[in-house]
Amino acid sequence: MLRESCSAIVARNETWSGAAATEPYEAGWALEGLVFVRALEDAVGSPGLAQIEISPDGMRWIAEGTTFAMPGQRDQTTWARVRHFGNWLRVSTQLGEGVSVKVLVTFQLK
């Protein structure tokens, strides 16, 4: 049996500051995935951590428990592995005062 796989860009050329998150992505067909966050420019300040969030309906979000570093330098890529996430998935972060980073966020699911 061939497994289905998909790469989805869920944030492209977005400058994140303050509370930021990707668009919701419907991925109930997938069993597992990798989440990549790449800085497209050097961050202003120290970006801190991102987290994986899940949702029953794509509108109300709950921290899934996985956290990972946000990239801070141009072309630096950070990532997380996810499993058992239900139907809706996204990445969010809370950047400190004056902190910003331009990102490209990709989900690779199968």
Side-chain angles (χ1 to χ4, degrees):
M1 177 174 110
L2 268 156
R3 289 176 58 181
E4 185 175 342
S5 66
C6 174
S7 288
I9 295 173
V10 293
R12 180 192 316 247
N13 277 342
E14 292 183 10
T15 300
W16 284 4
S17 61
T22 63
E23 290 294 319
Y25 192 77
E26 192 170 6
W29 56 269
L31 296 175
E32 61 187 8
L34 297 173
V35 176
F36 296 95
V37 179
R38 186 176 82 169
L40 299 177
E41 297 175 355
D42 287 344
V44 174
S46 179
L49 296 175
Q51 69 179 358
I52 304 297
E53 292 184 335
I54 56 175
S55 173
D57 55 14
M59 294 182 289
R60 294 163 197 79
W61 295 94
I62 305 159
E64 177 267 349
T66 301
T67 61
F68 60 102
M70 285 286 294
Q73 298 175 347
R74 182 180 180 182
D75 288 330
Q76 180 184 12
T77 303
T78 59
W79 66 282
R81 191 177 323 225
V82 294
R83 293 183 57 91
H84 309 293
F85 45 79
N87 200 41
W88 293 95
L89 187 62
R90 77 175 185 179
V91 175
S92 73
T93 189
Q94 178 65 52
L95 301 174
E97 182 78 26
V99 177
S100 65
V101 61
K102 185 179 278 192
V103 297
L104 174 74
V105 182
T106 306
F107 291 164
Q108 292 184 351
L109 304 163
K110 63 180 176 178

